[in-house]
Amino acid sequence: MSLKHCLILGGAGFIGSRTALRLLESGYSVRILDSLDPQIHGTSLARSETLKCIWDHVEIQAGDVRDPAAVERALKGVDAVLHFAAGTGTGQSMYQIRQYSDVNVTGAAVLAEQLIRIKGQIGRVVISSSRAVYGEGAYLCLEHGRVYPHNRKVADLETGRFNPVCPQCAGPLLEQSSEESDPVQPTSIYGITKYSQEQVILNLCGALGIPAVALRYQNVFGPGQSLKNPYTGILSIFSQLLLQNRPINVFEDGLATRDFVYIDDVAEFNVRAVREPLTSCEILNVGTGFRQTLLDVVTALSESYGKEPEFSVSGQFRIGDIRHAAASQTQLRRVLGEHRFVEFKQGIAKFTQWVMAEGTDGALGTGYTRSLSEMANSGLLKGGKK
Ligand SMILES: NC(=O)c1ccc[n+]([C@@H]2O[C@H](COP(=O)([O-])OP(=O)(O)OC[C@H]3O[C@@H](n4cnc5c(N)ncnc54)[C@H](O)[C@@H]3O)[C@@H](O)[C@H]2O)c1
């Protein structure tokens, strides 16, 4: 089946908008269904970082993925669907539990029911999943081999013991890259809903014989990431604090790590996930396999902006956060081919140039402070000096 017409649910966002442009370059037509959530796009849509890039190029329908009529309308004439609509803040998901469950899981359920209604029309579904499904992920214990520690204990975190320990002998561990066959054990509501979302789609597509790909992204960054949403996107938040000479609170001991993958690399794999001939359903990690500590992030941003950072390593921690994350790329390469990923520092240079061109207005920093108060009031931000 030759695919030509793509629908991106949540396509006005960071990953969706960049993917839309890449799909257009590759010869596909693109329609978007998006609720244009003010938390991400702001109240003046003309000032949304992502909308303004796609406005003149793709058909945009405003609507909610939980609304069957809106999804039915958006699916007309389409033969491939990319489902990116979601609530994306790990911390926020820990107290807006119904909202996250509703958007992320009900949205997938609505799409699944629509796929049954129009069976035969859709030749490919791509769903954005997350490394959050792995929770703390994989580690190596010198005595017990590859192990998968559960949630870190609050009592340990409160006394500065941030690294997970071996679930069998409580000994020290070495972090490993997550493989798709690793156990799923999310530590946050966000991770739980992303797993449900992924599985709802894969289950239905498997039953209907639609080849589908769930892409478990690591931390995606780059131009276009929201400079308004205070609930997610550490690079945007740190950038704005740094540029406004406001102090940066670095959680835990600053040595938690993330695998930062550049937006163009993610968009490339989204396009390949539509384009490559597949006959079954696949789950694939998308990440570089490299880790950066939070302190590396502060240093890289301050070097790139040419500004001395004012920061403190506070010892505070958020319930639901994990310690280390990085992706194994073996399956991604096997299914979607080789690729040269943008290096972290190169990506940071492009990102900071873009932030400088967009300008900052202080609202994100203020919103971030509010988001931390919300977490603290819910008992989900703990630790640090009393
Ligand atoms: N950015 C990352 O680092 C990252 C990492 C892992 C997974 N993901 C996943 O990738 C997807 C896209 O993430 P993103 O970074 O582009 O987020 P984003 O917030 O920039 O984009 C999400 C889009 O979905 C829209 N949306 C939200 N709720 C909706 C609803 N009910 N109906 C219709 N549209 C709705 C928003 O308006 C927004 O345009 C999400 O599913 C996210 O969970 C992102």
Side-chain angles (χ1 to χ4, degrees), residues 63-343:
D64 198 299
V65 283
R66 292 166 292 178
D67 174 2
V71 178
E72 179 176 347
R73 203 165 39 244
L75 280 166
K76 289 211 168 80
V78 157
D79 44 37
V81 183
L82 299 94
H83 183 12
F84 297 156
T88 64
T90 304
Q92 192 180 34
S93 78
M94 298 299 289
Y95 53 96
Q96 291 196 359
I97 299 167
R98 276 177 299 165
Q99 172 71 8
Y100 272 74
S101 304
D102 197 28
V103 172
N104 296 1
V105 186
T106 307
V110 167
L111 173 61
E113 289 184 358
Q114 291 295 322
L115 292 176
I116 295 173
R117 190 183 56 78
I118 54 170
K119 38 182 175 306
Q121 179 189 320
I122 302 297
R124 182 67 50 92
V125 178
V126 178
I127 171 99
S128 57
S129 186
S130 168
R131 55 110 186 130
V133 304
Y134 298 117
E136 293 292 353
Y139 286 79
L140 186 68
C141 170
L142 292 181
E143 201 171 329
H144 297 102
R146 196 171 169 93
V147 293
Y148 307 96
H150 290 281
N151 295 20
R152 295 175 292 164
K153 293 195 175 68
V154 171
D156 286 339
L157 296 168
E158 275 176 335
T159 49
R161 292 196 300 272
F162 297 116
N163 283 317
V165 292
C166 175
Q168 294 179 50
C169 65
L173 296 171
L174 285 172
E175 55 270 29
Q176 305 289 296
S177 297
S178 289
E179 290 171 10
E180 292 81 348
S181 55
D182 285 348
V184 166
Q185 43 183 31
T187 57
S188 65
I189 301 296
Y190 172 69
I192 292 169
T193 62
K194 289 306 288 182
Y195 186 61
S196 303
Q197 194 184 47
E198 161 197 303
Q199 290 299 308
V200 165
I201 296 302
L202 293 182
N203 180 295
L204 238 291
C205 287
L208 296 174
I210 303 173
V213 187
L215 295 170
R216 293 179 174 169
Y217 308 136
Q218 296 282 322
N219 279 56
V220 188
F221 79 106
Q225 72 179 70
S226 179
L227 297 173
K228 300 183 177 66
N229 187 354
Y231 295 94
T232 185
I234 195 81
L235 292 180
S236 294
I237 293 164
F238 281 7
S239 288
Q240 197 159 103
L241 295 173
L242 205 109
L243 290 170
Q244 308 240 316
N245 302 313
R246 293 169 74 169
I248 299 174
N249 172 353
V250 180
F251 289 155
E252 302 190 8
D253 55 359
L255 300 179
T257 60
R258 294 292 182 270
D259 177 344
F260 289 96
V261 57
Y262 192 67
I263 180 64
D264 287 351
D265 296 330
V266 171
E268 169 66 22
F269 279 106
N270 290 338
V271 173
R272 290 190 196 183
V274 173
R275 193 185 60 207
E276 291 303 309
L278 297 174
T279 50
S280 58
C281 294
E282 301 279 355
I283 296 177
L284 303 171
N285 292 332
V286 181
T288 67
F290 293 103
R291 297 185 179 80
Q292 314 294 331
T293 67
L294 291 185
L295 291 175
D296 291 336
V297 170
V298 173
T299 306
L301 287 174
S302 69
E303 281 175 6
S304 201
Y305 289 120
K307 278 193 82 106
E308 260 320 291
E310 191 192 324
F311 71 97
S312 62
V313 177
S314 68
Q316 287 188 300
F317 57 90
R318 298 187 311 175
I319 306 292
D321 261 355
I322 56 138
R323 181 67 172 164
H324 296 298
S328 156
Q329 297 182 327
T330 311
Q331 294 306 320
L332 184 70
R333 290 193 167 135
R334 179 184 65 78
V335 177
L336 296 181
E338 294 296 327
H339 176 67
R340 194 183 165 129
F341 282 76
V342 173
E343 283 170 18

